[in-house]
Amino acid sequence: MDISIKSFTLFLGILLTGLSAGLFYAWMGSVIPGTRKVIDPTYMASMQSINRAILNPAFFLSFFGSPILLGISTYQNNGTGPAFWWLLGAFLTYLFGTFAVTIFGNVPLNDALDVLDLAELSKS
């Protein structure tokens, strides 16, 4: 079975993008509804813990690997045919709809939450 680099790159890009989508779907379908049911101090402590735990190699591989591999796959299709346009759409959607929103929106909020001393806040 001969698998080309182009096909392998596309497969990995799709796989990692699917893993990222699954993570975000599970987050939306379980973590968010669950955290809505706890009191504020518990919510903040939970989010601090989650934000620290998610910074791991598995997350980094899918989160950063997806746009890299989608970009490479788009480039490998040489701007021709419908596959190029589908890949370009997927790449731009992930780049701006997931990657940029997370990096420029969620990460600064997570960083601000991370530095809060919850024990000190509870004394107030």
Side-chain angles (χ1 to χ4, degrees), residues 36-47:
R36 286 184 179 140
K37 296 180 181 192
V38 298
I39 60 175
D40 290 346
T42 303
Y43 169 80
M44 292 176 70
S46 297
M47 289 305 297

Side-chain angles (χ1 to χ4, degrees), residues 81-103:
F84 169 79
W85 295 106
W86 283 107
L87 284 167
L88 181 62
F91 171 64
L92 293 175
T93 299
Y94 190 93
L95 189 65
F96 293 108
T98 301
F99 193 79
V101 168
T102 300
I103 295 295

Side-chain angles (χ1 to χ4, degrees), residues 12-120:
L12 284 180
I14 292 169
L15 177 66
L16 293 180
T17 302
L19 289 171
S20 290
L23 170 72
F24 291 122
Y25 177 76
W27 184 273
M28 184 249 344
S30 61
V31 174
I32 297 302
T35 56
R36 286 184 179 140
K37 296 180 181 192
V38 298
I39 60 175
D40 290 346
T42 303
Y43 169 80
M44 292 176 70
S46 297
M47 289 305 297
Q48 280 184 334
S49 180
I50 290 168
N51 290 336
R52 291 173 186 149
I54 202 166
L55 301 177
N56 64 68
F59 173 75
F60 290 140
L61 177 64
S62 63
F63 185 72
F64 291 104
S66 295
I68 291 168
L69 290 169
L70 288 174
I72 291 169
S73 291
T74 303
Y75 177 79
Q76 287 175 331
N77 274 278
N78 302 319
T80 59
F84 169 79
W85 295 106
W86 283 107
L87 284 167
L88 181 62
F91 171 64
L92 293 175
T93 299
Y94 190 93
L95 189 65
F96 293 108
T98 301
F99 193 79
V101 168
T102 300
I103 295 295
F104 298 113
N106 298 335
V107 169
L109 295 173
N110 294 345
D111 290 344
L113 177 60
D114 189 52
V115 298
L116 290 177
D117 182 353
L118 299 181
E120 189 63 35

